[in-house]
Amino acid sequence: MHIDGNAVRIVAQDTRSSFASYDRAILDAARLSVTMLEASALSEVPAGDSQIALRAIHESTGHLLSARGSMVKLVGHLQSVKRRSNQAPMNVGCPGETPLSGSLQEDAPQAEPAFD
């Protein structure tokens, strides 16, 4: 099967961008949950009202996670198609960059170099 090399690169970039967008949305939803809990603690909002808001945030975050899972399946399918094409040797990289990329690496303790 023949696939244009530029198309592969563009699809790969858009796929990485889509993952980053989902990850940002999930991160924002997590922040919103914390903000709602803090706001409720500082306010006189009835527990029932804050519960409705928190449940809505939780449900929407679940939908985001499901959508991200569908993207994971899509990437597997796209990789399968590419492997059967003339672009099989092309390495475009897997999606992996997220809004948090590097933060764990920066905080992780660095191993001391071993010298004999």
Side-chain angles (χ1 to χ4, degrees):
M1 152 180 21
H2 177 79
I3 299 176
D4 181 77
N6 287 328
V8 172
R9 284 185 284 280
I10 292 167
V11 168
Q13 179 56 45
D14 286 351
T15 301
R16 283 189 292 275
S17 176
S18 293
F19 270 100
S21 294
Y22 280 117
D23 290 348
R24 276 190 301 275
I26 293 167
L27 184 59
D28 288 344
R31 287 182 180 135
L32 180 57
S33 292
V34 172
T35 300
M36 286 299 303
L37 289 168
E38 290 173 341
S40 293
L42 296 173
S43 304
E44 294 180 9
V45 176
D49 289 329
S50 62
Q51 180 67 19
I52 291 169
L54 289 169
R55 181 175 303 282
I57 295 166
H58 173 76
E59 288 174 2
S60 67
T61 303
H63 294 303
L64 289 168
L65 290 168
S66 292
R68 191 181 188 281
S70 295
M71 287 295 297
V72 170
K73 291 177 186 176
L74 170 64
V75 168
H77 177 72
L78 293 174
Q79 289 172 340
S80 172
V81 170
K82 186 178 82 64
R83 280 193 299 271
R84 297 187 321 252
S85 77
N86 62 310
Q87 298 299 322
M90 178 187 280
N91 183 7
V92 293
C94 290
E97 291 295 318
T98 71
L100 299 177
S101 288
S103 64
L104 291 177
Q105 293 170 354
E106 292 166 5
D107 295 338
Q110 298 297 317
E112 293 292 325
F115 295 103
D116 291 324

